[in-house]
Amino acid sequence: MGIPVKLEVFEGPLDLLLHLIEKSKIDIYDIPIVEITAQYMDYIHDMPKEDLNIMSEFLVMAATLLDIKCKMLLPKEVNEDGEEEDPRRELVEQLLQYKMFKYVAYELKDRQHNADQILFKTPGIPEEVMEYVEPVDIDLLLGDLTLKQLNQAFQDIMKRKEDKIDPVRSKFGKIEKEEIPLPVKLSYVEDYARTHHKFSFRRLLEEQKSKMHIVVTFLAILELMKLGTIRAEQEETCGEIMIRSLI
């Protein structure tokens, strides 16, 4: 009974071809197919024949190389664009893809090996320090602004939304309750603040698509001001209220 043999150097026909190309310092885009086919055939003649699964893979590639070799001896075919087709093109693409995955596998293996040598220390910060939240001075954040001014801007936007409602068509259809979680709006305003850094309080509310969105956005702004994530500014009395990001 034959003993199954696993190739220790070459994991498959593409691995063998890549080795022969690199060993002979051949340009992968211009493979001398006659020379490579001869070297390849010499190798598979010396391969152990017991494992038919492995052997069959190499024989399929041998047939492919011989087919390409025959096509190279014939007049070159021309495609629809009038360009000569290279019989080696598909093989070159397979080799390049295989080479990419092979070296990515090496990189991942190195990272796995390096990760085994890394130890992580558990956090040593006391729980009371982790839970500490720096107090926020609301008066400092608001400056010359008052909640009355913020509320007035909010009411102006709400009135504009009401004025846009069609008094006839609004009576048709079924009105569904719109659920807008406050945590979702908190994330939305935080992302908006990171992107715009400084923006108009009125403009932000005007961009909301419904009254419910305006209400929850307004609550989110107040909550983020309380947490010290954003700050409201007004350069002059009755001027535009601006929101500045502190993150």
Side-chain angles (χ1 to χ4, degrees):
M1 180 178 177
I3 300 175
V5 177
K6 183 179 186 300
L7 299 177
E8 297 181 357
V9 179
F10 308 115
E11 295 295 335
L14 287 175
D15 199 26
L16 171 58
L17 275 177
L18 193 61
H19 168 76
L20 295 175
I21 290 171
E22 292 178 347
K23 180 181 178 182
S24 302
K25 298 181 180 179
I26 293 172
D27 183 0
I28 196 171
Y29 293 98
D30 188 21
I31 301 172
I33 204 70
V34 176
E35 178 183 344
I36 288 297
T37 302
Q39 295 180 28
Y40 185 89
M41 297 301 293
D42 289 341
Y43 177 80
I44 64 173
H45 284 151
D46 297 332
M47 284 179 59
K49 306 299 188 293
E50 289 83 1
D51 194 331
L52 295 179
N53 289 329
I54 294 178
M55 193 65 189
S56 61
E57 294 178 6
F58 284 82
L59 289 175
V60 170
M61 179 57 71
T64 302
L65 290 173
L66 292 173
D67 181 59
I68 295 174
K69 180 179 178 182
C70 293
K71 289 180 179 179
M72 296 288 288
L73 298 175
L74 297 174
K76 294 185 178 179
E77 298 181 359
V78 179
N79 58 23
E80 296 178 355
D81 298 328
E83 299 176 351
E84 294 183 347
E85 293 188 349
D86 191 339
R88 303 168 295 180
R89 181 179 59 83
E90 186 175 350
L91 178 62
V92 169
E93 291 177 355
Q94 293 179 9
L95 284 168
L96 290 173
Q97 188 177 36
Y98 175 79
K99 185 176 182 179
M100 178 186 68
F101 283 115
K102 180 178 180 179
Y103 284 97
V104 168
Y106 287 156
E107 179 68 21
L108 292 176
K109 185 176 181 181
D110 290 341
R111 292 191 181 188
Q112 181 184 13
H113 176 72
N114 294 335
D116 292 339
Q117 302 176 13
I118 298 176
L119 299 176
F120 295 92
K121 180 181 179 297
T122 56
I125 302 176
E127 184 177 350
E128 58 271 17
V129 176
M130 293 286 290
E131 296 178 352
Y132 172 77
V133 178
E134 185 178 357
V136 179
D137 189 341
I138 300 297
D139 295 332
L140 180 62
L141 286 176
L142 288 174
D144 296 333
L145 282 173
T146 64
L147 288 177
K148 182 179 179 181
Q149 290 173 307
L150 287 173
N151 182 60
Q152 185 59 50
F154 168 73
Q155 295 297 337
D156 290 343
I157 300 299
M158 292 291 288
K159 188 174 185 305
R160 289 187 184 182
K161 289 291 181 182
E162 291 178 357
D163 293 340
K164 290 181 180 179
I165 297 176
D166 189 321
V168 177
R169 283 183 291 179
S170 63
K171 297 179 181 180
F172 293 92
K174 183 179 179 181
I175 300 177
E176 300 287 347
K177 184 178 180 181
E178 189 175 14
E179 299 290 346
I180 307 172
L182 180 59
V184 173
K185 273 299 178 186
L186 285 171
S187 298
Y188 164 77
V189 176
E190 283 184 331
D191 292 341
Y192 193 94
R194 288 192 185 95
T195 304
H196 295 79
H197 303 296
K198 185 177 180 181
F199 54 92
S200 166
F201 170 70
R202 183 183 299 273
R203 177 67 179 274
L204 175 63
L205 295 184
E206 288 177 345
E207 291 180 3
Q208 307 309 306
K209 60 183 181 181
S210 69
K211 292 174 62 176
M212 184 58 66
H213 277 274
I214 293 174
V215 172
V216 181
T217 301
F218 182 68
L219 294 176
I221 290 175
L222 295 179
E223 182 66 21
L224 292 175
M225 289 176 62
K226 178 181 177 182
L227 296 174
T229 304
I230 59 176
R231 180 175 62 197
E233 300 175 348
Q234 190 178 47
E235 295 183 357
E236 57 185 19
T237 304
C238 299
E240 183 75 15
I241 298 175
M242 304 299 294
I243 305 295
R244 182 184 296 276
S245 171
L246 301 178
I247 54 179

